[in-house]
Amino acid sequence: MTLRIAVQMDPLESINIAGDSSFALMLAAQARGHSLFHYDVRTLAYDTSEGAGGRLTCWAAPVTVQRVEGAHYTLGEHRLIDLATDVDVVLMRQDPPFDLGYITATHLLERLAGQTLVVNDPASVRNAPEKVFVLDFAQFMPPTFIARRIEDVRLFQQRMVDRGMPGDLVVKPLHGNGGKAVFRVPADGSNLGALVEMFQNAWVEPFMVQPFLADVAEGDKRIVLVDGEFAGAINRKPGEGEFRSNLAVGGSAEACGLTSAEEAICASLGPELKARGLVFVGIDVIGGKWLTEINVTSPTGIVAIDRFNGTDTAAKIWDAIEARHAVM
């Protein structure tokens, strides 16, 4: 079975082919004989002038890829394609921010249901933002607080101290990504006021607050699940002078397995992810037991996982996509 695949992602010239998961997925699809298109989400258009049901189109170019730095892709001529009739699969892979533009794209792509397979399912992506969906599994999370008022945050911090925790906090945007704008607040709260002001001015939504987990010094584990099944993991350790372990901010990766607590987390999440059509998901776990995020928009990490473990996660993802497409 060969598929026609439209990849909705950021400009190809900007990606790092050594570690980019979208690029790895494109290489794997091409190796299976699937044909690829690339398009920018900003070219999506919906037209109802031709009759009931409407038509979702984009300006896309056929693309071939190769693992050659500086010459890693070749684009054909851009043309208007119908995402319901000209392709079999849409791979939604543009990076956040998870803003109104992102949400609008999921609403448009949702209209392809029953015609073209969209991965991950756009309605589920919209309804499962990383730091909100995870609240459904609060039994695995560290104590978590979502708010905007500094007075409320100080009360939360005091409750953590009363429980015997050190009192240091981590404050992060609710819809951030890649470790951006994640701050550590010392137990004395000396920079909390300024941070709350900054968050209030920069974002309309509330922010997330959690106790600082000292275990992060030993790493923040990225675990990938494919159609609800464990596919691999890496441990990301903070760089020198950092507490954030994201590879995008200088963290380093190392091979790892799963603890029994992490296996329990995967077992709990797996059926729900599969039911929601969330085929490629990356979860983050600190200290072998604390679930902090469920990444569904544009998960990363498969290149490092495969390099350390000798696996082929991209192949597992395409196996799952092909199986889903076959029963549409």
Side-chain angles (χ1 to χ4, degrees):
M1 170 179 60
T2 58
L3 298 174
R4 301 164 298 170
I5 300 158
V7 186
Q8 176 179 299
M9 64 180 287
D10 298 323
L12 283 164
E13 61 267 22
S14 66
I15 63 174
N16 171 18
I17 67 170
D20 190 90
S21 293
S22 300
F23 186 73
L25 287 168
M26 294 173 76
L27 282 172
Q30 185 175 272
R32 292 179 175 224
H34 301 326
S35 57
L36 296 169
F37 291 90
H38 173 274
Y39 75 93
D40 187 320
V41 65
R42 293 172 295 181
T43 71
L44 281 177
Y46 192 75
D47 183 3
T48 66
S49 66
E50 297 181 11
R55 182 170 178 252
L56 183 61
T57 63
C58 67
W59 284 91
V63 60
T64 57
V65 289
Q66 59 180 353
R67 196 174 289 284
V68 177
E69 190 68 49
H72 56 277
Y73 70 97
T74 302
L75 286 179
E77 185 176 349
H78 280 82
R79 61 179 185 265
L80 190 69
I81 66 170
D82 187 321
L83 290 175
T85 60
D86 294 333
V87 298
D88 304 299
V89 176
V90 171
L91 198 60
M92 188 167 61
R93 289 290 305 172
Q94 95 264 13
D95 289 337
F98 189 77
D99 55 15
L100 279 175
Y102 212 117
I103 290 169
T104 301
T106 67
H107 280 294
L108 293 175
L109 291 170
E110 189 179 1
R111 296 180 177 276
L112 297 173
Q115 303 171 87
T116 300
L117 178 65
V118 183
V119 177
N120 285 327
D121 179 86
S124 293
V125 167
R126 182 175 66 248
N127 294 330
E130 312 351 353
K131 297 181 184 69
V132 178
F133 180 34
V134 69
L135 300 174
D136 289 355
F137 302 91
Q139 69 270 32
F140 301 118
M141 297 179 68
T144 297
F145 194 64
I146 296 174
R148 285 181 63 83
R149 289 183 357 119
I150 189 170
E151 296 87 353
D152 297 330
V153 177
R154 292 196 189 281
L155 286 172
F156 174 77
Q157 185 177 37
Q158 186 58 52
R159 286 199 299 275
M160 297 303 97
V161 172
D162 292 344
R163 292 186 189 182
M165 295 183 177
D168 289 25
L169 300 176
V170 170
V171 181
K172 48 191 170 182
L174 202 58
H175 299 301
N177 69 295
K180 300 182 186 73
V182 177
F183 296 93
R184 180 176 177 179
V185 177
D188 64 8
S190 55
N191 62 341
L192 183 58
L195 284 178
V196 169
E197 289 173 5
M198 186 272 292
F199 275 88
Q200 289 175 339
N201 290 328
W203 292 283
V204 297
E205 64 268 14
F207 47 85
M208 176 176 277
V209 184
Q210 294 173 324
F212 174 73
L213 302 174
D215 288 340
V216 76
E218 300 304 316
D220 178 357
K221 197 171 293 185
R222 165 55 56 91
I223 301 169
V224 167
L225 294 99
V226 176
D227 224 9
E229 299 291 331
F230 170 73
I234 51 167
N235 191 44
R236 304 170 298 182
K237 302 193 75 169
E240 185 70 28
E242 263 286 359
F243 74 91
R244 299 173 298 171
S245 57
N246 307 72
L247 301 184
V249 294
S252 60
E254 62 184 12
C256 66
L258 296 187
T259 65
S260 58
E262 289 164 344
E263 290 175 350
I265 291 171
C266 292
S268 181
L269 268 63
E272 183 66 19
L273 300 177
K274 186 177 180 71
R276 289 177 178 237
L278 296 170
V279 175
F280 177 13
V281 174
I283 67 172
D284 296 337
V285 180
I286 294 175
K289 62 180 180 179
W290 296 116
L291 176 66
T292 59
E293 290 190 18
I294 304 174
N295 297 275
V296 304
T297 50
S298 182
T300 61
I302 65 174
V303 175
I305 286 172
D306 291 343
R307 183 170 65 248
F308 282 113
N309 300 331
T311 49
D312 191 348
T313 308
K316 292 179 182 178
I317 293 169
W318 283 113
D319 286 345
I321 292 172
E322 290 168 3
R324 282 184 174 264
H325 182 268
V327 297
M328 283 187 62

